[in-house]
Amino acid sequence: MAEGVVKRYGSRLAVDHVSFEIPAGTVYGLLGPNGAGKSTLVRMLCGVLRPDGGRVTVLGWPVPSFRVQMQLGYMPQDVALYADLTVDQNLAMFGRLYDIPRGQIASRAEELLDLVDLRERRREKVGALSGGMQRRASLAVSLVHRPRVLFLDEPTAGVDLRLRNALWEHFRALDAEDVTLFITTHLMDEVERCRLLGYLHSGRLLAEGSVPELIASSGRNSLEGALTALLEEEGEPE
Amino acid sequence: MRSLLIAGNVLRRILSDRRTVLLVLLTPLLFVLLYGTSFSSRHTHLTIAVVDKDNGLASVRTAEIGRVTLSVHLASRLLTAVVKEGFPIIKETRVEDAEEAVRSGGAWAAIVFPAGFSNAIVNEALRLGGERTMRFEGREVRLLPPETTLDIRVTLFVDDSNPLISSSGLAILQQAFSDIVSDQQRGLSVDAMLDLRPIYDGEITNLDYTAPGIIAFAITLISVMLTAVSIVRERTGGTLTRILVAPVRSAEIVTGYAAAFTVVAGIQAVELVAVSRFAFGIRLAGSVALVALILFLFVLGLQGLATLLSTIARNEFQAMQLVLILLIPSIMLGGVFWPPEALPPSLRALAQILPLTHANEALREVMLAGRGISAVTVELSALVAFAVATLAAGTWSMRRQLRRG
Ligand SMILES: Nc1ncnc2c1ncn2[C@@H]1O[C@H](COP(=O)(O)OP(=O)(O)OP(=O)(O)O)[C@@H](O)[C@H]1O
Ligand SMILES: [Mg+2]
C-alpha cells in the first residue's frame, strides 16, 4: 500500500520513508505518540495530502483517483462536519457526493444513527452537540457510503467507554465483512484488538506485525515492554 | 452534477441561519441608502456669514426726468435666493468678524456687500446692456448708461479646505449671482452668447454618474468577502478535506461555490440596482436585461477571484486582508469617481486588469447613454475573459494548495 512515503513540512520531516502493505480485510492499528506523524500519514493514504516522495496505492490503484475515492472512507482527527447543519443533513450531503440515492441514504442513516447512538439528536445542528457526540456523528458520516477501505484517525478519542466498546464491536463486524480498517491511536489496549499493528515514532515506522509477533521478537512479556525495547534500541529511553 | 450538490449545500447553509440571511439582504440596502442620500445632497446646509452694507438704492440717469433713485435691494434679494438654496445665514456687521467666522470654522463662506452694491449692479447692467425703458411714477422713462464705470466688488471669503464642498457650494453661489445680474440686464446674458448643448440635456446628476461604479464596487466588496471567507472557513473547518476524500474534482468544488455565490451576489445586485432606481431615481436609460448580463458576468469573475484569494489565505483573517488589498485599487482606479483616461499611463494599464473598470464602463454605456449590446462588446469580452481566467486559476490553485497540506 505505501512505498517509501515521505512528507516534509518545511524543514520538519513528518513522515520518513514509511513502507508497508496491508492485506485486504485486515484491521490495522497505527500506534504512536503525539506528533509521530500518524495523521500526516493517514492523510497521504487517503489522497488529501500529496507525499513529497514515495507512492501510495489503495486496492491496487494510485491515490487519489476516482475509483479509489469511491471506495474509501476517512474520519479526520478533528470533527470536520458542517456545524450549522443537522446530523441528518450532514449525512445526506456527504452521502450524495457518492451518488447514493436519497432513499438509500435515509435507510443507511437509520443504521448509522443506531450505531453511534445519536437517533434522538439527529435533527439538531452538529454544533449544538457535545464534543464526543460530534465525533460520533463524524464517524457516522465517514461510513455513509459503505467504504471498502476505512481510515480512522483516533476514532475513539473523547468517546465514553461504553460507546467505545460498541464502536470496536462494529469495527470487528466490518472486519468480518472484509472491510479494511486503518486505525490510528495512542492507546495500547486499542491496538491490542487489531490484527496487525505498526509503531510510528518521529515519522519512522519502527516495528510492524501482529501483537504476539512483536512481543516474541522483543523477548519481553507484554506489548508495552516490546515497544519500550524498540525505543531503547533507538537510543531514546523513555 | 456534484458541483450542483456543493452549490446547494452552500445555499442551504446560508439559508439555515436567519442572521446570515438578514445580513446578506441588509448590507446592500444599507450601502445604497447611504450613498444615495449622501450623493444626491448638494452640499447645502453650509453656514454663510454675511456683512450687508448695501443701502439697496440705485441712482440712474433718465432721458426724461434726470437722475432718479430706485429702491432695488439687490443684496437682500440675493440673500433670499441663497437661503432658499438651503444655506443658513449669520449676519455680521464687521468684515473682520465675518472673516474670522470662516477661519474658525463657524461659517463656510463670508460675503461682504459694499454700500453701493445695488447701485453698481444696476448701472453696470445698463452700461453693458444699453438703454432700457421702465415705468417710474406713472410714466415711461428711458434709463441711460452711466458716464463712469463703477468698480465696486463683492468680497467672498471661502473655506476651501475641502475642494469638493467648496466647488459645489461656490457653483450654487455663482448661480445666485448670475441670476441677479442677468435679471438686471435682460437682453445681454451669458446664455445668449454661449450656445451650450449638453448631450444628456443636463439630466445626468452626480449620483447618476457614480451609481454604476458604486453599485459594482458594492458588489465587489460584499461578494468577494463573503465567498473568500466561506471557502477559507470550509477549509479550516475540515469539511473541504472530507469533500476531497469523496470523488470530487477541484473544478467541481470551485464551480459549485461560484454558482452558489453568483446566485447570492445576483440577488444583492438586483437589490442594489432596484433600490437605487426606485428610491433615488438613478438613470437607467438602456435595457435592464443588458444591465443584468453585465452584472452576471462581473459577479462570476468575482467568484473566481475570491476562490483564488481564498487559496492564498491561510485563514479567515488573511482572506479579509487580501480582499481589502484588492478593493483599494478598484475604488481608486476602477473609474468610479473619475474616468480611467484621467489616470497617469502607468496606472491606466493596471486599471485595465480590474474587472470593475470594465463593468463600470459597460454599465455607464447602458445606464447613462442607453446604448445596446454592440456598444459594450469589448467590455463584455473583458469580463468573460476575466471570469474564465480567475475560475481556472482558482481551480488550479485550490488543487495545488489542498494536496500540499
Ligand atoms: N500543516 C502542518 N504544517 C506544519 N507542520 C505540521 C502540519 N501538520 C503536522 N505538522 C507536524 O508534523 C508532525 C506530525 O504531525 P501529525 O499531526 O501527523 O502527528 P500525529 O501523530 O497525528 O499526532 P497526534 O497524536 O497528536 O494526533 C508534527 O511535528 C506536527 O507539528
Ligand atoms: Mg493526529
Side-chain angles (χ1 to χ4, degrees):
Chain A
M1 269 178 132
E3 279 175 48
V5 170
V6 178
K7 182 70 197 180
R8 287 187 190 83
Y9 292 115
S11 62
R12 174 179 290 138
L13 201 55
V15 172
D16 184 5
H17 294 89
V18 169
S19 304
F20 54 82
E21 197 171 339
I22 302 171
T26 311
V27 182
Y28 187 97
L30 185 69
L31 184 69
N34 287 151
K38 304 184 294 295
S39 300
T40 306
L41 181 58
V42 169
R43 283 167 53 214
M44 288 189 286
L45 294 178
C46 56
V48 288
L49 193 64
R50 194 182 299 276
D52 294 324
R55 223 162 62 94
V56 176
T57 54
V58 171
L59 299 169
W61 302 95
V63 171
S65 61
F66 188 85
R67 223 183 276 256
V68 174
Q69 306 313 115
M70 280 301 267
Q71 308 281 336
L72 187 152
Y74 169 49
M75 177 186 172
Q77 187 169 0
D78 42 9
V79 172
L81 293 177
Y82 294 109
D84 45 4
L85 294 184
T86 65
V87 178
D88 269 343
Q89 286 172 326
N90 269 287
L91 282 169
M93 161 67 192
F94 287 104
R96 292 187 59 209
L97 282 181
Y98 294 89
D99 294 336
I100 309 175
R102 274 178 190 285
Q104 230 167 299
I105 293 176
S107 57
R108 178 73 176 144
E110 301 294 325
E111 294 169 29
L112 291 170
L113 289 167
D114 280 340
L115 170 71
V116 299
D117 196 15
L118 279 177
R119 183 176 280 282
E120 271 100 80
R121 314 293 295 266
R122 62 192 295 177
R123 276 178 247 289
E124 281 179 45
K125 292 193 172 171
V126 168
L129 300 180
S130 81
M133 291 178 189
Q134 293 186 6
R135 297 196 54 78
R136 278 142 58 187
S138 172
L139 177 65
V141 169
S142 308
L143 294 170
V144 68
H145 56 293
R146 299 180 192 277
R148 308 267 313 117
V149 182
L150 191 52
F151 294 94
L152 305 172
D153 198 351
E154 305 199 14
T156 54
V159 171
D160 61 51
L161 209 62
R162 187 181 55 83
L163 203 74
R164 218 170 92 183
N165 289 325
L167 289 182
W168 271 100
E169 247 167 60
H170 182 70
F171 297 157
R172 249 189 275 271
L174 287 174
D175 184 26
E177 289 169 29
D178 256 7
V179 173
T180 312
L181 276 104
F182 188 101
I183 301 174
T184 78
T185 177
H186 44 247
L187 297 175
M188 207 69 70
D189 67 312
E190 287 203 330
V191 277
E192 281 173 345
R193 307 185 192 201
C194 299
R195 201 175 309 169
L196 279 176
L197 76 90
Y199 182 57
L200 194 67
H201 188 84
S202 299
R204 287 186 304 141
L205 197 61
L206 294 185
E208 222 199 340
S210 69
V211 177
E213 275 170 21
L214 284 177
I215 297 175
S217 67
S218 72
R220 309 274 174 115
N221 51 14
S222 71
L223 182 59
E224 199 173 345
L227 297 178
T228 316
L230 277 170
L231 284 176
E232 279 163 3
E233 271 171 44
E234 282 291 304
E236 271 188 65
E238 265 187 335
Chain B
M1 195 44 222
R2 291 192 172 86
S3 44
L4 280 184
L5 207 58
I6 289 168
N9 187 52
V10 170
L11 290 177
R12 176 173 320 116
R13 290 174 56 214
I14 290 176
L15 289 175
S16 75
D17 187 351
R18 199 168 303 150
R19 195 172 305 197
T20 311
V21 175
L22 266 176
L23 282 174
V24 161
L25 292 178
L26 289 183
T27 320
L29 191 65
L30 181 73
F31 211 104
V32 191
L33 289 180
L34 282 180
Y35 104 80
T37 34
S38 66
F39 270 72
S40 41
S41 100
R42 299 169 56 212
H43 305 300
T44 52
H45 317 297
L46 300 166
T47 305
I48 298 177
V50 176
V51 179
D52 187 3
K53 295 184 177 151
D54 183 24
N55 57 17
L57 302 177
S59 162
V60 281
R61 294 193 303 137
T62 64
E64 291 80 6
I65 51 173
R67 206 164 257 287
V68 299
T69 298
L70 307 171
S71 171
V72 287
H73 295 290
L74 290 187
S76 330
R77 273 163 64 184
L78 197 149
L79 287 178
T80 313
V82 167
V83 169
K84 213 181 280 169
E85 289 285 351
F87 293 91
I89 280 185
I90 49 172
K91 296 256 186 192
E92 297 284 356
T93 44
R94 283 157 25 102
V95 177
E96 301 78 49
D97 293 343
E99 190 182 346
E100 184 50 34
V102 177
R103 289 198 188 282
S104 66
W108 161 77
I111 308 177
V112 180
F113 295 106
F117 178 69
S118 294
N119 190 36
I121 296 279
V122 171
N123 279 294
E124 272 302 284
L126 282 173
R127 194 172 66 80
L128 293 171
E131 284 184 19
R132 235 167 69 198
T133 56
M134 70 171 284
R135 294 195 70 79
F136 183 73
E137 288 175 356
R139 57 184 290 198
E140 195 87 352
V141 293
R142 277 192 301 146
L143 303 182
L144 301 177
E147 282 141 341
T148 54
T149 54
L150 295 149
D151 181 33
I152 298 174
R153 289 176 157 268
V154 174
T155 313
L156 184 62
F157 298 100
V158 183
D159 173 3
D160 54 352
S161 58
N162 180 338
L164 190 70
I165 291 193
S166 66
S167 64
S168 91
L170 269 182
I172 297 171
L173 276 182
Q174 264 163 0
Q175 185 61 43
F177 265 88
S178 84
D179 283 351
I180 293 281
V181 174
S182 67
D183 236 22
Q184 292 305 310
Q185 203 177 292
R186 298 277 146 65
L188 187 79
S189 65
V190 176
D191 297 350
M193 285 158 57
L194 182 67
D195 185 11
L196 187 65
R197 294 186 185 180
I199 305 249
Y200 298 110
D201 218 7
E203 282 170 12
I204 296 190
T205 63
N206 200 9
L207 179 68
D208 291 334
Y209 182 75
T210 49
I214 297 274
I215 289 173
F217 177 72
I219 296 174
T220 313
L221 174 69
I222 300 169
S223 175
V224 176
M225 188 94 76
L226 192 63
T227 309
V229 170
S230 301
I231 298 181
V232 173
R233 198 161 64 111
E234 176 113 35
R235 194 176 74 230
T236 54
T239 41
L240 203 51
T241 305
R242 230 188 248 276
I243 292 179
L244 275 178
V245 173
V248 180
R249 297 170 186 288
S250 299
E252 290 173 319
I253 300 175
V254 171
T255 47
Y257 261 89
F261 283 108
T262 299
V263 171
V264 174
I267 292 171
Q268 294 178 317
V270 168
E271 194 185 341
L272 283 164
V273 175
V275 178
S276 306
R277 176 82 185 123
F278 296 114
F280 298 102
I282 59 152
R283 189 179 167 97
L284 218 169
S287 135
V288 176
L290 191 48
V291 170
L293 176 66
I294 296 167
L295 287 174
F296 167 73
L297 293 175
F298 177 56
V299 161
L300 196 60
L302 292 180
Q303 305 317 314
L305 188 64
T307 312
L308 196 55
L309 291 182
S310 75
T311 57
I312 298 170
R314 279 187 202 282
N315 50 45
E316 287 90 334
F317 177 69
Q318 286 184 2
M320 301 248 264
Q321 293 292 313
L322 282 170
V323 174
L324 287 180
I325 290 174
L326 162 90
L327 286 175
I328 294 162
S330 290
I331 189 85
M332 296 293 173
L333 311 178
V336 178
F337 298 113
W338 45 84
E341 296 89 73
L343 295 169
S346 52
L347 290 179
R348 219 176 298 162
L350 184 59
Q352 289 309 308
I353 24 175
L354 294 173
L356 184 66
T357 309
H358 302 286
N360 188 26
E361 189 75 32
L363 286 175
R364 260 186 204 148
E365 290 285 342
V366 178
M367 291 170 68
L368 299 187
R371 301 235 165 80
I373 194 162
S374 56
V376 291
T377 43
V378 173
E379 286 80 12
L380 288 180
S381 321
L383 290 176
V384 170
F386 184 81
V388 170
T390 52
L391 286 170
T395 306
W396 173 79
S397 179
M398 180 175 281
R399 183 180 307 140
R400 229 175 73 97
Q401 176 231 26
L402 284 173
R403 311 250 191 251
R404 209 177 37 212

